[in-house]
Amino acid sequence: MGLRFQQLKKLWLLYLFLLFFAFFMFAISINLYVSSIQSYDAEPRHPKPPPKRRSLWPYKNIVAHYIGKGDIFGNMTADDYNINQFEPKQGEGADGRPVIVPPRDRFRMQRFFKLNSFNILASDRIPLNRTLKDYRTGECRDKRYANSLPNTSVIIVFHNEAWSVLLRTITSVINRSPRHLLREIILVDDASNRSFLKRQLEAYIQVLAVPTRLYRMKERSGLVPARLLGAQHARGDVLTFLDAHCECSRGWLEPLLARIGESREVVICPVIDIISDDNFSYTKTFENHWGAFNWQLSFRWFSSDRKRQTTANTKDSTAPIATPGMAGGLFAIDRKYFYEMGAYDSDMRIWGGENVEMSFRIWQCGGRIEISPCSHVGHIFRSSTPYTFPGGMSEVLTANLARAATVWMDDWQYFVMLYTAGLSLSARDKVNVTDRLALREKLQCKPFSWYLETIWPEHFFPAPDRFFGRIIWLDGETECTQAYSKHMKNLPGRALSREWKRAFEEIDHKAEEFMSLIDLERDKCLRPLHDNVPRSSLQPVTVGDCTSHAQTMDMFVITPKGQIMTNDNVCLTYRPPKQGALKLLRNRNATISNVMLTQCAIEPSQQWTYDMDTQQISHRETKLCLTLKSATNARNHKVEKVVLSMECNFKDITQKWGLIPLPWRM
Ligand SMILES: *[C@@H]1O[C@H](CO)[C@@H](O)[C@H](O)[C@H]1NC(C)=O
Ligand SMILES: *[C@@H]1O[C@H](CO)[C@@H](O)[C@H](O)[C@H]1NC(C)=O
Ligand SMILES: *[C@@H]1O[C@H](CO)[C@@H](O)[C@H](O)[C@H]1NC(C)=O
Ligand SMILES: *[C@@H]1O[C@H](CO)[C@@H](O)[C@H](O)[C@H]1NC(C)=O
Ligand SMILES: *[C@@H]1O[C@H](CO)[C@@H](O)[C@H](O)[C@H]1NC(C)=O
Ligand SMILES: *[C@@H]1O[C@H](CO)[C@@H](O)[C@H](O)[C@H]1NC(C)=O
Ligand SMILES: *[C@@H]1O[C@H](CO)[C@@H](O)[C@H](O)[C@H]1NC(C)=O
Ligand SMILES: [Mn+2]
């Protein structure tokens, strides 16, 4: 009897244990489920870290189609859309620290993310007046500005912005600007329909310490018309445009106004720091960077050793940095100068392309665009826009870009239209830019070639003295390779010159023939080993199918000095693998080579020569020739064709390369 009781007791314990175990497993699986969604969801949105020296900063233009995550979190209702859940917790997010949303709210956090494409639950926990650190360098902090700086109107356009994010932007402007420099804040509502942006907002701005006025667009018009409406009502000496999802940090305003006080022809931008869309942490970015555009006119950040400082004293780390392009969201400009220079192209719709137009226009018409390293403003970078895009996002964007290109880019407009997906030469016929061309005439603006040569000498666009086209492997099997080799063999005095210029001219003579002979399927083009790897990262090179026009993977620009460049400021580089490089490559299971595509820089590792006689491309310094070899991928043991540089051997068919031009201007 006693024994049985003991057994029962054991069973009972076992039963209890099993119960606990089941519960435990359940908890773990829920946790795993939530975190797996989170990491899947969060990864593509994470802004990339600030740029290191001489690295391309790969955070992209924030345009992408929003892809819903299905309805695992339930669909948004009108109530979800209109509810304002702002509930600040003392000290949350202080000093720009990240916010951790408590586990019980994680599901709601996921659910509401898509409403704004940022973590609204995190934002709603942070007080409007949260503290930020002082992100300036010591030199910037010590800098003293004149007493009589021009004053400014701050213009903020919003469309269905979240309450806490919009008001934190406004609060940071008020709290961190000297009162006498801030004349007014002008809000322009681009036809929002969230209910808290109506009366509730109107009541809120009545009591602010700085006069704040709100104007509303009658229908959704976009950034340009809304900013123009705001500017029209502004009375400050300077117009300062901000996005509606920013936080100004200490001392942000004085350096901007001081620079315009010095020279009214300067359009000046702050350094744009990163506010995480996920946890709202504020991350300072590298100060010595500048911006420009890629072949498709998407804005890109770059940084370089080349001194772009505006003063003669290049040691002055507080001096603004000249930049060929502006991101467009955040900048200050003298109000009268804004109108003298043609304000904005008011026919640009919704969003996108206006920063391209303004960058070209300001420079070509005699102004300057600069970034002040002393002014830091945080901005929430999102990976997609949560808002509607009347007219279709890519249609609107390409139409705007077509306007900018047609007015300002001269010969290069054809290049952009030929090699941008969604654009074509017929885009020119659809735009009416009569007024803008008249403006260009009136302001007597300089040609685009001047802009490239003078303002952006390190650019990677084609030019009259450069080669633009494909580099094919001369396997001797296709018509194109045979015609090319034959032509090179019959050149008089061909062996005398290894000048690229000479080669470009010879190839130009036969451009039509070579272009008509190339067979996109049979000819083999030099190109990156992997598709879809960020252009900024180190990547090996191979030969493969030549791509169609809208992709530019296999298109290169070669300069007379022997830089072999491609889109996004990427150059063919001789790079003997080091320990570090090996590690880097192992992560991406790529094959190791001593020839890589990487960030352009003026240095010997990126200088190549071409021998017309042997059709070899060799690295100038080491005299090693580009060679096509098979290599085994260390990780997946697949055999891949990789381009290496090796001892030259004029008989080796794997070292023969042809330059087949592509058209880029009319
Ligand atoms: C969400 O909306 C889609 C279509 O709009 C519908 O097919 C789906 O059933 C909805 N899901 C829920 C959970 O309501
Ligand atoms: C923020 O404002 C609240 C009142 O609205 C105030 O109690 C708090 O001290 C302020 N915090 C800072 C850092 O100024
Ligand atoms: C702004 O500056 C203008 C002159 O530059 C002056 O007339 C105006 O009073 C100033 N406004 C404020 C608020 O300081
Ligand atoms: C707001 O407008 C969008 C279209 O722009 C519409 O889909 C949505 O239902 C509207 N929301 C409310 C609450 O009216
Ligand atoms: C907050 O987000 C940033 C960037 O998105 C990330 O680097 C950081 O690790 C995050 N912090 C926390 C505590 O999750
Ligand atoms: C283009 O616009 C101008 C002025 O806005 C107008 O006079 C002209 O007729 C328009 N041209 C065409 C072809 O629509
Ligand atoms: C790494 O190898 C795997 C398996 O072959 C492949 O699916 C993946 O795309 C590779 N990753 C990169 C970055 O090339
Ligand atoms: Mn923005």
Side-chain angles (χ1 to χ4, degrees):
M1 196 67 193
L3 207 88
R4 257 172 121 192
F5 179 74
Q6 281 293 344
Q7 276 176 339
L8 256 176
K9 203 172 151 193
K10 261 189 203 156
L11 266 178
W12 172 235
L13 275 175
L14 188 69
Y15 181 66
L16 250 177
F17 173 73
L18 277 175
L19 201 76
F20 269 106
F21 186 71
F23 182 76
F24 181 67
M25 290 307 288
F26 179 69
I28 284 204
S29 64
I30 286 281
N31 216 336
L32 273 180
Y33 173 66
V34 169
S35 58
S36 72
I37 295 167
Q38 237 166 293
S39 56
Y40 161 65
D41 209 48
E43 196 184 25
R45 282 194 318 271
H46 275 272
K48 304 297 187 296
K52 299 186 195 73
R53 270 163 67 88
R54 241 198 285 120
S55 74
L56 188 142
W57 189 7
Y59 71 62
K60 292 231 201 93
N61 247 7
I62 331 296
V63 180
H65 285 283
Y66 173 64
I67 299 158
K69 295 285 187 298
D71 49 21
I72 47 168
F73 300 113
N75 291 336
M76 289 282 125
T77 64
D79 281 349
D80 291 336
Y81 192 72
N82 287 314
I83 194 173
N84 177 6
Q85 309 179 83
F86 176 51
E87 207 179 305
K89 310 270 185 291
Q90 182 84 40
E92 194 77 276
D95 286 342
R97 280 195 298 270
V99 172
I100 313 292
V101 172
R104 67 185 140 82
D105 288 333
R106 291 278 163 86
F107 190 81
R108 249 162 35 91
M109 176 180 103
Q110 295 293 337
R111 188 170 134 72
F112 276 89
F113 194 100
K114 63 179 146 190
L115 215 50
N116 306 282
S117 290
F118 52 64
N119 186 355
I120 182 62
L121 261 71
S123 176
D124 282 347
R125 296 174 67 86
I126 305 174
L128 299 181
N129 61 354
R130 80 150 151 183
T131 52
L132 294 177
K133 288 192 199 133
D134 190 338
Y135 301 99
R136 298 169 298 172
T137 58
E139 287 92 338
C140 286
R141 268 176 245 180
D142 292 343
K143 190 143 174 120
R144 294 286 161 262
Y145 298 98
N147 269 334
S148 58
L149 296 182
N151 55 38
T152 186
S153 306
V154 171
I155 300 174
I156 299 171
V157 169
F158 63 92
H159 172 69
N160 282 336
E161 195 61 80
W163 175 267
S164 54
V165 167
L166 174 63
L167 294 196
R168 202 174 304 109
T169 306
I170 297 172
T171 308
S172 76
V173 170
I174 294 175
N175 289 356
R176 301 207 180 89
S177 307
R179 181 61 191 87
H180 68 286
L181 296 180
L182 183 57
R183 179 145 179 177
E184 61 195 349
I185 297 175
I186 293 179
L187 303 177
V188 186
D189 171 16
D190 188 15
S192 303
N193 63 1
R194 295 175 111 170
S195 54
F196 53 77
L197 296 174
K198 306 282 180 196
R199 291 260 176 75
Q200 195 182 344
L201 180 62
E202 283 162 25
Y204 183 90
I205 62 173
Q206 296 293 318
V207 297
L208 295 177
V210 171
T212 304
R213 280 172 290 144
L214 172 61
Y215 300 92
R216 297 193 197 267
M217 302 299 287
K218 289 197 185 63
E219 56 180 32
R220 184 79 198 282
S221 327
L223 186 72
V224 164
R227 280 188 169 176
L228 285 172
L229 179 76
Q232 200 186 313
H233 290 285
R235 288 292 160 264
D237 306 321
V238 169
L239 305 175
T240 303
F241 293 101
L242 292 182
D243 277 1
H245 35 264
C246 291
E247 284 175 66
C248 303
S249 80
R250 190 146 171 206
W252 74 288
L253 186 59
E254 295 92 327
L256 304 181
L257 298 180
R259 184 67 182 121
I260 293 175
E262 265 169 38
S263 164
R264 67 189 288 272
E265 279 119 34
V266 174
V267 176
I268 183 117
C269 312
V271 172
I272 307 176
D273 292 332
I274 299 169
I275 301 175
S276 161
D277 55 353
D278 202 28
N279 57 38
F280 280 73
S281 65
Y282 188 112
T283 310
K284 174 182 172 166
T285 58
F286 187 65
E287 278 138 352
N288 188 18
H289 66 252
W290 47 275
F293 306 97
N294 74 357
W295 288 350
Q296 287 77 30
L297 300 182
S298 288
F299 182 78
R300 293 284 187 268
W301 292 108
F302 303 112
S303 63
S304 74
D305 289 342
R306 197 171 91 84
K307 286 282 167 278
R308 288 182 159 270
Q309 251 107 352
T310 49
T311 51
N313 176 9
T314 51
K315 291 226 175 70
D316 179 3
S317 68
T318 68
I321 295 158
T323 175
M326 61 198 285
L330 290 59
F331 67 93
I333 184 170
D334 182 276
R335 180 163 56 88
K336 295 200 180 95
Y337 186 68
F338 178 65
Y339 287 108
E340 285 164 29
M341 297 298 280
Y344 269 125
D345 179 351
S346 57
D347 286 332
M348 285 197 172
R349 291 180 303 139
I350 310 297
W351 187 92
E354 83 290 337
N355 60 327
V356 179
E357 195 267 351
M358 192 152 182
S359 303
F360 296 161
R361 172 162 48 86
I362 294 294
W363 278 116
Q364 285 173 242
C365 306
R368 303 177 57 80
I369 304 172
E370 297 176 359
I371 297 171
S372 168
C374 293
S375 171
H376 282 260
V377 177
H379 173 266
I380 305 174
F381 287 94
R382 301 182 254 209
S383 67
S384 63
T385 168
Y387 305 123
T388 56
F389 230 88
M393 181 168 334
S394 61
E395 288 81 356
V396 166
L397 186 60
T398 52
N400 290 349
L401 290 178
R403 293 186 65 82
T406 310
V407 178
W408 299 105
M409 295 185 79
D410 304 332
D411 269 354
W412 282 265
Q413 67 184 279
Y414 305 105
F415 173 69
V416 167
M417 286 169 194
L418 280 172
Y419 299 103
T420 301
L423 277 177
S424 65
L425 288 183
S426 64
R428 299 186 70 242
D429 309 328
K430 294 190 197 124
V431 297
N432 182 350
V433 289
T434 318
D435 294 352
R436 301 307 279 179
L437 287 172
L439 175 78
R440 184 172 167 173
E441 185 67 33
K442 188 183 102 190
L443 296 176
Q444 304 202 345
C445 307
K446 297 195 180 74
F448 194 72
S449 57
W450 173 87
Y451 170 83
L452 286 180
E453 283 158 22
T454 318
I455 305 308
W456 190 15
E458 53 282 76
H459 75 89
F460 46 86
F461 277 69
D465 65 345
R466 294 176 170 192
F467 166 83
F468 173 67
R470 300 186 169 103
I471 301 174
I472 62 167
W473 175 42
L474 299 177
D475 62 357
E477 309 224 322
T478 67
E479 259 187 283
C480 188
T481 60
Q482 285 161 2
Y484 187 92
S485 308
K486 186 162 154 252
H487 177 67
M488 287 300 170
K489 285 207 180 76
N490 295 327
L491 289 179
R494 61 191 193 274
L496 296 180
S497 173
R498 292 181 138 220
E499 293 274 301
W500 283 102
K501 256 187 175 149
R502 171 87 206 285
F504 299 165
E505 280 160 18
E506 285 304 337
I507 291 156
D508 235 26
H509 289 156
K510 303 286 266 184
E512 295 292 330
E513 184 188 337
F514 296 154
M515 281 193 276
S516 67
L517 284 177
I518 193 164
D519 178 341
L520 293 188
E521 258 133 53
R522 293 189 58 220
D523 279 304
K524 294 288 169 238
C525 283
L526 191 74
R527 51 179 291 170
L529 184 58
H530 302 286
D531 304 356
N532 308 324
V533 178
R535 303 283 292 190
S536 53
S537 60
L538 259 182
Q539 49 184 326
V541 192
T542 188
V543 299
D545 291 342
C546 307
T547 57
S548 63
H549 271 201
Q551 297 160 296
T552 49
M553 300 269 292
D554 60 353
M555 297 175 193
F556 292 89
V557 163
I558 305 178
T559 67
K561 292 212 171 107
Q563 254 193 321
I564 303 180
M565 325 169 104
T566 182
N567 199 4
D568 287 301
N569 198 39
V570 170
C571 279
L572 197 69
T573 310
Y574 172 74
R575 200 170 185 289
K578 289 191 212 75
Q579 212 49 35
L582 282 177
K583 216 187 213 163
L584 217 159
L585 286 173
R586 204 164 293 141
N587 288 338
R588 295 195 296 104
N589 63 18
T591 308
I592 293 145
S593 167
N594 59 2
V595 175
M596 301 290 262
L597 285 172
T598 189
Q599 191 66 28
C600 295
I602 307 291
E603 50 181 55
S605 66
Q606 298 185 344
Q607 278 164 21
W608 304 86
T609 52
Y610 188 59
D611 187 329
M612 281 192 285
D613 191 23
T614 60
Q615 296 109 53
Q616 285 166 319
I617 296 175
S618 59
H619 179 235
R620 179 164 293 169
E621 201 178 53
T622 59
K623 309 223 164 11
L624 296 174
C625 280
L626 281 191
T627 313
L628 183 62
K629 278 279 168 286
S630 291
T632 311
N633 186 316
R635 179 112 141 233
N636 58 20
H637 305 290
K638 248 176 36 192
V639 177
E640 289 165 325
K641 283 192 171 145
V642 186
V643 173
L644 308 161
S645 49
M646 301 177 67
E647 284 303 321
C648 298
N649 172 0
F650 70 94
K651 284 186 191 150
D652 188 345
I653 192 142
T654 63
Q655 296 188 345
K656 300 206 179 277
W657 305 95
L659 310 181
I660 308 298
L662 279 165
W664 64 272
R665 54 180 172 166
M666 291 286 110

